[in-house]
Amino acid sequence: MATASETRMTPAKAVSFAMVGLWLFIAAFPFLWTFWGSFKVQADFFSKADWTNALWGTQTIAETGSPFTGQGYFGAWVIEEFWQNVINSGIVVVFTVIISLTFGTLGGYALARSGFRYAFWLLIAALVFRAMPHITLVSGYLLPFFEWNIWGHLPTTIIVLVAINQPFTLWMLHSFFLNIPKDMDESAMVDGCTRFQAFWHVIVPVMWPGVITTGLFSFLLAYNDFTVTAMLLSAENETMIPAINSFLGTTQVEGKVMYAVAAVVSATAPLFVLILFFQRQIVSGLTAGAVKG
């Protein structure tokens, strides 16, 4: 039970709480403002005359008879068929994560258990590849993709995203495997397991939080990617982020801005749910390490 001295509010605690509250407000305000504005009309949310119109919905009331409207969501999901972009994103994300984790887990384990010098240089080469700008890597794929007539398809984009993401998964999972004593592998093989059986039945369960953490970062890479998906996907196969960008229009063509605002909220909300659901595994994965006996 906490003592009175521990529960008493001190100036230092008050300052700490104030700083945390300020940080939370700054971090959450853009999403909350966008979420609120997604139920307004464009004349209110982007009002230059009076920004408070976005709060009270002055023009929204005049146009719809209510301070809130779902026109943006209806336009994005029904008129522009944003649901198809969501499905495309789901396909890209699921396969990118599965393939990245499969090769990353096997490769990270092999490099962590390898006693050869080449393991270090492979990881350095992977790090250099990961540090290169995505636009540089994608531009190198364009010519062969056009020649082989595979540009614009989802599998092509998945392959490129896996190639870009693989160095990161290798480094992350390699570091997790290094924290697991080799004695666990050796003990399992002494008991009759093969190398793969020891890996699958003994090592993977121990480092499962690390796998989840790495998978989440792989998910975010594929989910939020714009450069690769915008350059390699045709209009009918667009994922969410390029589709949202297309809603904004260009300097020559007026965009459907409120469709984009509604789509942004729709694309961001699942991320909050995902983080809340996996928060414990993420913390465990980022601080993972086996106790050496």
Side-chain angles (χ1 to χ4, degrees):
M1 181 178 294
T3 63
S5 60
E6 292 175 336
T7 58
R8 186 175 64 249
M9 180 61 66
T10 62
K13 286 184 179 180
V15 171
S16 298
F17 289 145
M19 293 297 294
V20 170
L22 178 62
W23 179 84
L24 288 174
F25 175 78
I26 294 174
F29 178 77
F31 176 76
L32 295 176
W33 183 255
T34 304
F35 176 75
W36 179 270
S38 67
F39 296 99
K40 308 296 181 182
V41 297
Q42 184 173 340
D44 277 337
F45 190 48
F46 294 95
S47 176
K48 295 181 180 180
D50 187 358
W51 68 270
T52 60
N53 288 343
L55 289 176
W56 316 122
T58 305
Q59 192 62 35
T60 306
I61 296 174
E63 293 185 16
T64 66
S66 170
F68 300 99
T69 178
Q71 290 179 358
Y73 291 93
F74 180 83
W77 284 87
V78 179
I79 298 176
E80 296 295 332
E81 297 183 341
F82 186 66
W83 58 269
Q84 184 63 57
N85 304 119
V86 173
I87 293 175
N88 292 337
S89 287
I91 295 172
V92 169
V93 166
V94 168
F95 282 97
T96 299
V97 171
I98 291 175
I99 297 173
S100 296
L101 284 183
T102 300
F103 286 103
T105 303
L106 295 173
Y109 176 75
L111 292 173
R113 293 297 185 259
S114 174
F116 294 102
R117 185 71 175 173
Y118 69 80
F120 170 78
W121 294 109
L122 281 176
L123 288 170
I124 293 298
L127 184 62
V128 172
F129 183 81
R130 182 66 180 86
M132 296 175 64
H134 290 184
I135 190 68
T136 303
L137 300 172
V138 175
S139 60
Y141 291 111
L142 285 177
L143 180 59
F145 285 171
F146 279 124
E147 290 182 345
W148 300 335
N149 198 29
I150 58 175
W151 177 88
H153 302 293
L154 294 177
T156 304
T157 303
I158 292 170
I159 292 171
V160 176
L161 286 174
V162 168
I164 293 174
N165 190 42
Q166 204 61 71
F168 171 78
T169 57
L170 276 176
W171 268 96
M172 283 280 290
L173 293 169
H174 170 263
S175 62
F176 284 126
F177 282 123
L178 286 179
N179 288 325
I180 300 177
K182 293 183 179 180
D183 296 344
M184 296 181 66
D185 313 51
E186 296 168 356
S187 298
M189 288 188 288
V190 167
D191 290 338
C193 290
T194 63
R195 170 68 73 173
F196 181 78
Q197 288 173 333
F199 161 76
W200 184 252
H201 295 292
V202 178
I203 304 302
V204 170
V206 172
M207 64 162 298
W208 192 244
V211 174
I212 293 177
T213 303
T214 307
L216 179 63
F217 283 111
S218 300
F219 169 89
L220 293 176
L221 171 83
Y223 192 87
N224 296 322
D225 181 83
F226 174 76
T227 303
V228 176
T229 51
M231 294 186 66
L232 296 184
L233 287 176
S234 58
E236 60 270 17
N237 289 326
E238 275 186 336
T239 53
M240 289 188 293
I241 306 304
I244 293 172
N245 180 70
S246 66
F247 291 160
L248 295 175
T250 64
T251 54
Q252 290 81 26
V253 180
E254 182 180 1
K256 301 168 183 176
V257 180
M258 296 313 297
Y259 293 5
V261 174
V264 165
V265 174
S266 301
T268 307
L271 297 181
F272 283 94
V273 177
L274 184 73
I275 297 299
L276 289 174
F277 185 77
F278 286 110
Q279 60 175 324
R280 186 167 299 177
Q281 288 82 358
I282 294 170
V283 173
S284 300
L286 292 175
T287 59
V291 178
K292 296 185 179 182

